[in-house]
């Protein structure tokens, strides 16, 4: 558009000079002055345009590039995981190694899931004992609080022969064994807070100081024991949303709150277990659940090896 205006000015100046040459001397001088002025302005403008146009285009290109780069960076940190682990029928070695690293680097830990056997196994490997753990679990005393996870397990090929009730009983015993595991590793944490809710999340969320992990049990089509999992950075929107939701659950008047401290005795834990689950913890049941947890913990600890983290997405 600028070049077109300059060309028009050039043509007008030349026409003005030509018309002036046909007039008398008085009119000719005025027309020549106007024409020459337009001619000089047009030539100068065209020269300036030739010199400055590439610079202007480069400045505009850099500006657009910076805006796009900033938008992509914001998108990446807000929504895109740093690591993604595909569904599998076997425990993910890279998954466990990287999550254990995040736990060692954290002084706070939030968990939203079904049972805590693996949480307790991780706690047993802590190098320090100042972790503040908050565990949001389904309330075993509320009917149907385990139905969603039980239905996920029914959809797995390896457990398709089991009934919903059998899977529910198995899940319930995993919750009990996880609570016993927390009691056994209580000296590894500064505090362990158990929060019981009537409508637990089907997906599992774990929040560390520098990352948040999401395990998608809600994806029923995977048909595997261990579903897809993703790790998000501290700056991500997922991290902020889950942290806010966990805090809201903790403050809710409908949430039942209990604490397992370093000073909790076995007798106190037996009483606490009954309050948590509605099930009396007999010596025989305690031995069974302890064996259940320790078997899981031993297999878990033996599976942790120094492994390079998987390539980021």
């Amino acid at each position: 558009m600028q070049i077109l205006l300059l060309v028009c000015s050039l043509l007008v100046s030349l026409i003005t000079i030509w018309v002036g040459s046909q007039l008398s001397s008085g009119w000719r001088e005025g027309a020549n002055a106007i024409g020459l002025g337009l001619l000089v302005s047009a030539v100068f403008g065209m020269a300036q345009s030739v010199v400055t146009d590439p610079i202007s285009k480069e400045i505009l290109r850099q500006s657009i590039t910076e805006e796009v780069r900033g938008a992509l960076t914001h998108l990446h940190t807000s929504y895109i995981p740093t690591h993604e682990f595909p569904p599998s029928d076997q425990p993910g070695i890279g998954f466990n190694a990287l999550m254990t690293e995040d736990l060692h680097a954290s002084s706070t830990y939030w968990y939203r899931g079904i049972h805590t056997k693996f949480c307790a196994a991780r706690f047993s490997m802590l190098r320090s004992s100042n972790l503040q753990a908050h565990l949001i679990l389904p309330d075993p005393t509320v009917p149907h609080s385990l139905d969603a996870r039980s239905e996920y397990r029914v959809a797995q090929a390896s457990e398709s022969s089991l009934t919903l009730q059998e899977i529910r009983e198995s899940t319930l015993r995993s919750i009990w064994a996880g609570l016993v595991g927390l009691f056994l590793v209580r000296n590894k944490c500064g505090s362990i807070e158990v929060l019981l809710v009537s409508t637990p999340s089907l997906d599992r969320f774990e929040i560390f100081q520098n990352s948040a992990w999401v395990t998608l049990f809600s994806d029923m089509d995977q048909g595997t024991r261990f579903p897809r999992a993703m790790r998000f950075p501290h700056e991500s929107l997922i991290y902020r949303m889950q942290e806010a939701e966990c805090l809201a659950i903790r403050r809710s008047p409908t949430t039942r709150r209990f604490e397992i401290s370093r000073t909790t005795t076995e007798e106190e834990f037996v009483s606490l277990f009954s309050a948590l689950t509605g099930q009396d913890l007999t010596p025989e049941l305690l031995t069974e659940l302890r064996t259940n947890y320790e078997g899981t913990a031993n297999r878990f600890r033996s599976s942790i090896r120094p492994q390079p983290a998987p390539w980021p997405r």
Side-chain angles (χ1 to χ4, degrees):
M1 181 61 72
Q2 183 180 10
I3 295 296
L4 180 60
L5 290 174
L6 291 174
V7 170
C8 290
S9 298
L10 181 62
L11 290 175
V12 170
S13 66
L14 293 174
I15 292 172
T16 303
I17 293 173
W18 178 78
V19 171
S21 66
Q22 309 299 318
L23 302 175
S24 60
S25 59
W27 288 101
R28 184 185 308 123
E29 291 178 1
N32 287 341
I34 295 173
L36 288 173
L38 286 172
L39 180 61
V40 171
S41 297
V43 171
F44 179 78
M46 293 180 71
Q48 186 181 35
S49 177
V50 169
V51 173
T52 61
D53 190 57
I55 298 175
S56 300
K57 288 182 178 178
E58 179 61 23
I59 292 174
L60 180 61
R61 186 191 66 79
Q62 290 180 1
S63 176
I64 294 174
T65 300
E66 289 299 321
E67 287 292 332
V68 172
R69 184 180 293 116
L72 290 175
T73 300
H74 175 72
L75 177 65
H76 188 277
T77 57
S78 294
Y79 299 101
I80 299 177
T82 59
H83 297 80
E84 184 169 346
F85 300 86
S88 172
D89 285 319
Q90 300 298 324
I93 295 177
F95 169 91
N96 283 320
L98 186 56
M99 182 178 284
T100 301
E101 285 181 16
D102 282 353
L103 180 62
H104 284 311
S106 184
S107 60
T108 60
Y109 173 67
W110 285 89
Y111 174 88
R112 291 180 66 193
I114 300 300
H115 66 77
T116 57
K117 287 196 293 184
F118 288 105
C119 293
R122 291 186 202 282
F123 294 167
S124 69
M125 301 173 65
L126 285 172
R127 293 185 287 266
S128 64
S129 57
N130 63 344
L131 182 71
Q132 307 296 312
H134 309 273
L135 310 166
I136 301 173
L137 305 175
D139 191 335
T141 65
V142 175
H144 309 297
S145 63
L146 303 178
D147 286 357
R149 179 59 67 87
S150 299
E151 289 169 2
Y152 174 83
R153 291 181 59 184
V154 167
Q156 298 173 33
S158 60
E159 302 193 65
S160 58
S161 61
L162 300 178
T163 66
L164 186 62
Q165 183 59 29
E166 289 173 332
I167 288 178
R168 186 183 186 282
E169 290 296 327
S170 172
T171 303
L172 189 60
R173 288 197 169 260
S174 290
I175 293 175
W176 295 351
L179 292 173
V180 170
L182 293 177
F183 170 70
L184 295 176
V185 300
R186 63 194 183 282
N187 291 327
K188 283 290 190 176
C189 298
S191 67
I192 299 175
E193 184 180 52
V194 179
L195 307 167
L196 299 183
V197 296
S198 58
T199 54
S201 169
L202 175 56
D203 292 328
R204 186 174 68 216
F205 299 94
E206 295 174 81
I207 304 176
F208 303 92
Q209 213 159 300
N210 298 314
S211 64
W213 292 68
V214 182
T215 305
L216 296 176
F217 286 92
S218 58
D219 188 353
M220 295 291 187
D221 295 331
Q222 297 175 90
T224 57
R225 183 182 177 192
F226 300 97
R228 185 162 63 102
M230 294 170 288
R231 178 187 185 274
F232 294 87
H234 178 270
E235 301 81 11
S236 70
L237 182 63
I238 301 297
Y239 187 104
R240 295 195 297 270
M241 289 175 61
Q242 284 307 313
E243 184 178 47
E245 191 163 347
C246 287
L247 290 171
I249 291 172
R250 187 173 186 266
R251 291 192 292 263
S252 172
T254 62
T255 298
R256 295 205 294 150
R257 296 171 57 181
F258 301 85
E259 185 173 353
I260 302 174
S261 69
R262 297 175 182 176
T263 60
T264 300
T265 65
E266 183 171 315
E267 182 180 354
E268 290 172 334
F269 177 72
V270 168
S271 176
L272 178 62
F273 184 92
S274 297
L276 286 168
T277 66
Q279 170 71 37
D280 291 335
L281 185 59
T282 63
E284 295 77 16
L285 181 58
L286 176 59
T287 300
E288 176 193 332
L289 297 177
R290 181 170 187 160
T291 301
N292 183 321
Y293 159 71
E294 288 179 343
T296 299
N298 290 334
R299 288 191 298 272
F300 172 78
R301 285 191 290 264
S302 65
S303 71
I304 298 296
R305 298 284 185 273
Q307 295 282 337
W311 288 105
R313 273 190 76 187

